[in-house]
Each structure stands twice: as C-alpha cells, then as structure tokens.
Amino acid sequence: MLTIEDLHVSIGEREVLRGINLHIKEGETFILFGPNGSGKTSLLMTLMGFSGYTVTGGRIVFRSQDITQMPMFERARLGIGMSFQRPPTIHGLKTRHLVQQCARGREIDPEALARRVNFEEFLERDINAGFSGGEIKRSELLQLMAQKPGLVLFDEPESGVDLENMQLIGKVVRRLLDGEVDALPGACAKALKCKVRTSGLIITHTGYILDYINADRGQVLFDGRLCCEARPRDILEHIRSYGYQECIKCLNEPGGLQPLEVTRTAS
Amino acid sequence: MKDVNLADYSFTGLERGQIADLRSLDASDKERILHAGVDVESDAASAVFMHMDQSTVHCESRDPGLELLDIKAAMKKYDGLPEYAWKLVPRDKDEFTRNVAENVHGGYFIRTKPGAKIERPVQSCLFLKADGAGQNVHNIVIVEEDSELHILTGCSTAHSATSAAHLGITEYYVKRGGKLTFTMIHNWGVNATVRPRSVGVVEENGVFQSNYVLLNPVGTLQMYPAIHLNGRGAVARFNSVIVAPEGSHVDTGNRVIMNAPETRAEIISRTITTGGTIIARGHIAGHAVPCRGHLECKGLILGGGRMLAIPELDATVEGVDLSHEAAVGKIAQREIEYLMARGMDEAEATSTIVRGFLNVDIMGLDGPLAKAIQEQMEQIDAHGS
Ligand SMILES: Nc1ncnc2c1ncn2[C@@H]1O[C@H](COP(=O)(O)OP(=O)(O)OP(=O)(O)O)[C@@H](O)[C@H]1O
Ligand SMILES: [Mg+2]
C-alpha cells in the first residue's frame, strides 16, 4: 500500500527527516511514536504533499505509484486522507458542503455520517469556526468518512479530547480502518463482503487510541530517523519505563535500526 | 472616479412600446436579465415592472395589497407626489440628478397598503438595449405602516459590450413598523456607466434591508445609497457582494444616519478585485442614544487590481456605540491546502473559498435568482486575468 524509501525531507535549511524507510501493507495500521520535535508531523505532512516540506532524497510509493512529487489533491484522490491537527476556519463554507465535496461525487448521506460522530448540529456551521479541540477531531473524522481513503494519516487522535469523546473517536477510527463507512441502506447485500480494509498511520504520545484499534506494528521516530520496531503496546510500555533515551542507544548501535528488546520491557 | 461625459449618450429618441407579455422578449435579452435575477417565465412575483431604454414597457400588479405604477403615471395621478418626489434626493445634487430631473423617462412607483404583508417579491427590471442609450429613471417606494415588501431589481445591458448610461434616482419611505427588503443585482458590461442616487427614510420600528450583488464587469459605477433612521427603534442593514474584474471601476458604499434613539445599523460588504478598482466606502453616523452601528468591509485582491476601503464613523453624542472592521487580504495558502487535501484541485479550492468569502447565502435568496448568482460565482476568475 505505502512504501517509503530512504526519505530525506527538509523544512527550509533544516533537515527534519533523515532517511526514513517504512512499509505499510494494505489494511495494516502502523503506530508512530517519538519525542516532541522528532519529525512525526513532518512525515505525515510530507506524505500528504504539503508545500514547505522539501523531499531532498528518496521516494514515496503509494498504490504502486511514485507520489513523491505528486500534487496534494492527486494524492487525496488516489486515496490518502489526513486528519488535521489545527485546520483553518473557512468562513462561509458550511461543514455540510465540505463533507459533500469530500465524497467527490460518491453518494453519501451527510446526516447519517454526522450522526456517527455526534455532529449533526454542526453541519450548518462554517467549517472549523470556533470548533473546540474535540469538535475538530469529530469534524475531521466526518470528512474522512466521506472521503473514504485507503490510507488514513492521523496525528494524535487523543489530543484535546475528553474521555467520553475519546471513546467515540476511538470507535469511529476503528470503523474507518475497518472500511465500514458506507451505511447507505441496501448498498450492499453482505456487509462483510464490501469491507475494504483501510491502512493507517497514526501518531500517538499517550497510546489511548490503541484501546480501540488493531495495530500490530509500531516504531519510534527519533531525530528524523526511525528505530525500535515492535508491537505498539510494548513500545509504549518501554517509553513509560525508560523514556526515549534508549532510542539513542539503539540508533547508535552498529547496523543502525535494531529491534527493541521486548523481553526487557516485559520484565 | 472615471470621468463621465453625458454628452456621449443620447437621452432622447429611444422610446419603446408596451410589452404585454415579457416572455416575448428576445432569448438573448431574457438570458441577460436572468443573470440580473429577473425570470420572466416565473409567476412567483406579486408585481412585475420593466423599463427598457427610455420607456416603461411593462407594469403589472398581481396583488391587491400593493400599487405599482409607472412614475410618470403616478405623478399625474397624485399631483406630482408633493410629499415624496425629490424630497430625499435634491434635483440639483449633481449633474446626474439634474439630468434625470430635466427628463424623467420612467421608473416605478410602488406603494403598499397599510398592514399589507406582501409575501411574493415585486420583480423589477431596468434594461438598456440600444447602444449609446442614456436612461433617466426615477423610482419611489412607499412602505406604509406595518406593511412588508420585498423588491427584486435586476439591472442589465443587452450585451456585455453595450455602451450605455444608467442614471437612477430612488427614494424609499418606510413608515412606522414597515419592512422593506430591497435586493438589487447588477449585470452590466465594460462600457456601462452607472450612477444610481438613492436615499431613504425609516420611521419608528421600521426596517430597511438591502442586498446588493455585482459579479460582472462594469465600466464605471458610482453609488452611495443613504438611509436615515428617523424613528425610534428603526433598523437598516446593508449586505453587498462585489466583484470587479479588469476594466471595472466601482466606487460604492452605504451610509446610515441614526437620528433617533434605539436605532441600529449594520453594513457588511465583501469585495473582490480580480484586476479592477474598488473603492469600498461606508459611513455610519450616530446622533441619538442609545444607538448601535457596525461597519464591516472585507476585501480580497486576487491576481491584481486595487482596493481602497474608506470606513467612516461619525458620532456626535455621548453613548453612541459604533464600530468598524476593514480588511484587505488574500486567500490563505493554509485554506487552499486544507481543501486540496480533500481532493480539490487548486482552482476548485480557490473558488470554494471565494464563494464562502462572498457568502451570498447570508442574503437568504432562493429560486432562479440564487441559481443565477451561483452560476456567475462559478465564472469568477479567481486568478485574475
Ligand atoms: N515550518 C517550520 N519551520 C521550521 N521548522 C519547523 C517547521 N515545522 C516543523 N519544524 C521543526 O521540525 C522539527 C520536527 O517537527 P514536527 O512537527 O514534525 O515534530 P513532531 O514529531 O510532530 O513533534 P510533536 O510531538 O511535538 O508534535 C521540529 O524541530 C520543528 O521545530
Ligand atoms: Mg506533531
């Protein structure tokens, strides 16, 4: 689904990603950890194709196409969807209208989708105008449901969300990744059959999202480099006990990216 | 302001005969006026008025709650309308008012019955067909006590290249508890000269609501309609949406003078230049307390052009509450990228943002008018020419 090869990215003069290699299979969810400022958000922005993130080396392949230089809207149409952390307000653009646009002609029921994220009352509001942290998350999920991407990029789904909404968001992310977004009645005889599993790349500091989704792989991004591949829960546990210091060690070991010693974490 | 020489236009000799059925108009004329929000096929109007070149060609009221007459007929019938005609706009205000006063071609006289709530709008169309035509129009609108009226006026030339001058005087009288909604769509061309002169008074608890839309080029347009809130609790609201492509020179604004306590004024304009010049004026005066006024003027420059915003507040008593907000900017890259991440290409994203910015929805228009506006919005060249 997604293959990143030796990706180097700079913001201005500053190199923020320094040789990233990553493969995410169809239907797989990959969890990204890493200390503040290590480049996680930059990686997502680069995958989406934002201006200001200059790829100075390597390439990105998505659905067998080299998208390294592809404009953002083409990536979106190819199936990459991103949840924004701080989306801009667009005055006069109703949430309903944007949700409809996200579907790009595919038949959707904005009311039904909005109901899933408890967002019906916001459909007539200007997009992101005065939305709270949790409301932004729900709005982003609503748009993603309408967009129905093959790969979901999600930056810190937990940030700014209360416990009750965390549950809601967790469940919706789960459904999104399970490919269960279209609830149009009669659209499909056997619901199971039309499930197209969606891939995910999710950034988390707290790991709360792990309670809701099946994520089998994770890695730590440290200073623009990936290290310590393991099961996300083990990584989380390890970071809780030892912080990110171990990652430096791991990166400095000859041969570079050694897998994390899970046995040590477990003890 | 671009110089205008009235001698360039002929203000005589372009009379037109009655048109009993407006559906008999040329297809191309119908198309043009449709873009000014006038749909001759629709029977959703309470009254229909059309003025072409130098004659009123159609004048028909379908509602017993309102009177619609050609202005010349009304002047005859009511002995020159001494209480209303030329009471708000002085005949000798400028060369344009003088030109109209000397030779009124026509215009509408609309008066509601007291208490009549006219649900369907009055549809009016001011049309310039002949090349080189000069048009002198005088309109008078009287909204009697506790009555309600919505006027939709579409002004258009027959072609986008027609060279013509439209001079129009309008006097509005909103009596105690009355409500007038006045929606005007302009659809001119690069060779059109447009000089409306409008003034209104609103009495106690009356409401004057204006919606104005200009999305197509206009050679030179200058207008500064003024509303005097003379009765306690009177309200005036102006919403304007203006786009000036290359070749357009638009000098426009709204003025509200609050002369009574508990009056309110709101002036909102959204302007875009894609190569033309826009002078966006606004003036709110507070001469009685309490009163409250807000002026909001937002502009975008897309590609090129000039935007000059001149907001004015004039307060002469303690306790007046007036504010203004003026901004000229560009479309934020962040907003474009947000929409591109949802699959819109740059042009789609830009026009979506522009439509939101202009926010015509706020006027609550529907039917063919809303559709016409929608279509024209899609034509806006957001990258300039
Ligand atoms: N526009 C920018 N200009 C300059 N430096 C930037 C810019 N955006 C990000 N950076 C820098 O790039 C580095 C990586 O930032 P990034 O936002 O990717 O980190 P992150 O891993 O997402 O951190 P956090 O966990 O705090 O969200 C940081 O040092 C940051 O300051
Ligand atoms: Mg980040």
Side-chain angles (χ1 to χ4, degrees):
Chain A
M1 178 64 90
L2 177 74
T3 305
I4 302 172
E5 290 169 8
D6 193 28
L7 186 69
H8 291 255
V9 172
S10 296
I11 302 173
E13 293 294 287
R14 189 196 153 108
E15 185 167 58
V16 290
L17 298 177
R18 307 197 281 171
I20 301 289
N21 289 286
L22 179 65
H23 181 75
I24 299 177
K25 289 198 291 265
E26 183 150 351
E28 187 179 41
T29 298
F30 189 89
I31 306 294
L32 197 56
F33 297 93
N36 294 141
S38 58
K40 302 179 298 299
T41 299
S42 304
L43 177 60
L44 257 54
M45 303 293 264
T46 305
L47 293 177
M48 193 70 241
F50 278 86
S51 61
Y53 298 81
T54 315
V55 176
T56 55
R59 61 185 202 134
I60 308 165
V61 178
F62 178 67
R63 287 186 161 154
S64 323
Q65 285 194 49
D66 187 327
I67 62 162
T68 318
Q69 301 300 334
M70 195 181 262
M72 180 148 49
F73 74 93
E74 285 179 20
R75 300 183 199 210
R77 290 181 191 178
L78 203 58
I80 300 183
M82 174 165 169
S83 168
F84 281 61
Q85 260 186 314
R86 288 178 210 88
T89 296
I90 302 180
H91 293 287
L93 176 59
K94 300 265 174 285
T95 302
R96 175 192 301 281
H97 187 71
L98 182 54
V99 168
Q100 202 75 57
Q101 298 256 61
C102 285
R104 297 207 68 77
R106 202 163 46 82
E107 196 194 337
I108 58 159
D109 179 351
E111 307 284 340
L113 291 181
R115 213 170 297 127
R116 299 243 191 107
V117 282
N118 204 359
F119 217 61
E120 301 104 295
E121 270 130 65
F122 292 78
L123 285 173
E124 305 310 324
R125 288 249 303 256
D126 288 356
I127 189 73
N128 302 322
F131 288 9
S132 73
E135 287 160 2
I136 284 174
K137 289 285 186 296
R138 277 142 65 202
S139 155
E140 290 295 300
L141 276 174
L142 173 57
Q143 292 171 56
L144 285 175
M145 287 191 289
Q147 200 180 340
K148 210 176 176 220
L151 170 68
V152 174
L153 308 175
F154 211 139
D155 201 347
E156 298 182 32
E158 308 90 346
S159 68
V161 177
D162 68 33
L163 286 176
E164 210 174 313
N165 273 302
M166 189 58 232
Q167 200 169 34
L168 177 91
I169 284 164
K171 283 181 179 160
V172 173
V173 172
R174 165 75 190 254
R175 289 179 81 152
L176 197 59
L177 292 172
D178 283 349
E180 285 181 59
V181 291
D182 283 325
L184 285 179
C188 192
K190 278 190 179 166
L192 277 176
K193 274 227 169 121
C194 34
K195 269 194 195 178
V196 184
R197 293 256 291 147
T198 303
S199 308
L201 175 51
I202 300 178
I203 297 174
T204 180
H205 285 296
T206 63
Y208 295 153
I209 190 71
L210 299 175
D211 294 347
Y212 303 94
I213 59 175
N214 287 318
D216 4 81
R217 288 170 61 220
Q219 239 176 337
V220 174
L221 186 63
F222 195 92
D223 202 13
R225 275 182 279 223
L226 281 171
C227 59
C228 314
E229 168 147 9
R231 282 172 43 221
R233 285 205 177 280
D234 294 334
I235 296 177
L236 193 65
E237 200 47 47
H238 185 87
I239 297 166
R240 279 208 186 110
S241 319
Y242 303 96
Y244 284 108
Q245 286 313 306
E246 293 288 313
C247 300
I248 308 175
K249 230 190 272 172
C250 169
L251 273 171
N252 288 338
E253 268 170 36
L257 317 173
Q258 293 300 310
L260 190 99
E261 284 176 45
V262 179
T263 42
R264 197 171 52 186
T265 3
S267 62
Chain B
M1 205 192 311
K2 274 192 201 167
D3 284 339
V4 173
N5 186 359
L6 290 179
D8 293 344
Y9 306 95
S10 71
F11 283 89
T12 52
L14 292 165
E15 284 78 24
R16 299 271 175 182
Q18 286 289 309
I19 303 174
D21 186 350
L22 293 182
R23 284 174 299 185
S24 66
L25 287 169
D26 294 350
S28 72
D29 289 353
K30 278 196 243 182
E31 176 76 20
R32 285 289 289 176
I33 65 174
L34 189 62
H35 278 158
V38 177
D39 183 6
V40 295
E41 308 291 340
S42 159
D43 54 5
S46 56
V48 180
F49 175 88
M50 185 167 189
H51 184 92
M52 188 187 289
D53 290 335
Q54 294 164 357
S55 311
T56 292
V57 295
H58 190 91
C59 188
E60 170 200 7
S61 175
R62 302 164 179 163
D63 192 311
L66 71 86
E67 181 178 25
L68 168 67
L69 295 170
D70 168 55
I71 192 75
K72 288 200 269 193
M75 293 288 266
K76 221 173 271 169
K77 183 172 173 188
Y78 297 111
D79 305 318
L81 290 161
E83 291 168 73
Y84 301 111
W86 301 104
K87 285 294 165 207
L88 300 177
V89 179
R91 284 186 171 85
D92 58 357
K93 183 176 190 287
D94 58 27
E95 59 172 317
F96 309 107
T97 58
R98 274 193 295 275
N99 199 74
V100 176
E102 281 159 17
N103 177 20
V104 173
H105 295 148
Y108 49 78
F109 170 82
I110 301 174
R111 177 156 59 181
T112 56
K113 294 212 167 117
K117 309 262 193 276
I118 314 296
E119 276 174 23
R120 293 175 302 162
V122 172
Q123 176 90 67
S124 124
C125 179
L126 306 173
F127 192 59
L128 277 156
K129 193 169 165 78
D131 213 41
Q135 183 175 67
N136 288 332
V137 169
H138 185 194
N139 306 308
I140 294 176
V141 178
I142 305 164
V143 175
E144 290 288 354
E145 290 191 5
D146 299 315
S147 69
E148 286 181 18
L149 179 65
H150 185 183
I151 300 176
L152 285 176
T153 292
C155 303
S156 182
T157 46
H159 302 280
S160 55
T162 309
S163 166
H166 167 86
L167 313 182
I169 313 299
T170 306
E171 297 175 286
Y172 308 99
Y173 298 87
V174 179
K175 305 277 180 82
R176 184 197 284 253
K179 181 175 182 194
L180 173 62
T181 304
F182 187 81
T183 298
M184 183 157 72
I185 318 287
H186 275 174
N187 184 35
W188 308 108
V190 284
N191 298 315
T193 292
V194 184
R195 292 289 182 274
R197 296 289 179 263
S198 308
V199 180
V201 289
V202 183
E203 294 180 0
E204 197 174 323
N205 292 323
V207 178
F208 177 87
Q209 159 85 49
S210 156
N211 301 311
Y212 175 65
V213 179
L214 171 69
L215 300 175
N216 287 325
V218 56
T220 164
L221 171 122
Q222 196 262 325
M223 62 179 189
Y224 206 168
I227 294 294
H228 299 262
L229 300 179
N230 289 351
R232 181 181 285 272
V235 176
R237 270 186 244 111
F238 284 94
N239 282 315
S240 308
V241 166
I242 293 164
V243 177
E246 200 174 347
S248 281
H249 190 282
V250 178
D251 179 346
T252 164
N254 306 111
R255 192 190 289 275
V256 181
I257 298 108
M258 296 186 282
N259 294 319
E262 286 161 33
T263 47
R264 274 182 295 137
E266 185 181 75
I267 298 174
I268 296 178
S269 70
R270 294 281 183 270
T271 57
I272 293 182
T273 165
T274 59
T277 296
I278 296 178
I279 303 173
R281 299 176 193 272
H283 181 109
I284 300 182
H287 304 310
V289 281
C291 73
R292 195 150 44 87
H294 181 64
L295 177 57
E296 185 182 303
C297 166
K298 292 199 174 149
L300 282 181
I301 297 187
L302 301 179
R306 179 177 186 211
M307 183 88 62
L308 173 62
I310 312 177
E312 297 175 342
L313 303 177
D314 179 11
T316 55
V317 271
E318 186 185 345
V320 160
D321 179 1
L322 303 182
S323 58
H324 81 71
E325 197 185 337
V328 180
K330 58 170 187 171
I331 296 180
Q333 184 65 17
R334 260 164 59 74
E335 295 179 22
I336 292 186
E337 289 192 330
Y338 186 53
L339 298 182
M340 285 177 74
R342 302 296 185 227
M344 294 183 208
D345 62 30
E346 192 166 349
E348 278 178 275
T350 306
S351 70
T352 300
I353 294 165
V354 163
R355 278 207 289 273
F357 171 80
L358 294 177
N359 199 12
V360 176
D361 291 354
I362 194 178
M363 298 179 182
L365 306 174
D366 51 17
L369 181 61
K371 194 162 159 269
I373 291 174
Q374 195 60 37
E375 278 170 15
Q376 288 172 77
M377 294 254 251
E378 273 151 31
Q379 305 295 313
I380 296 169
D381 178 7
H383 298 278
S385 26

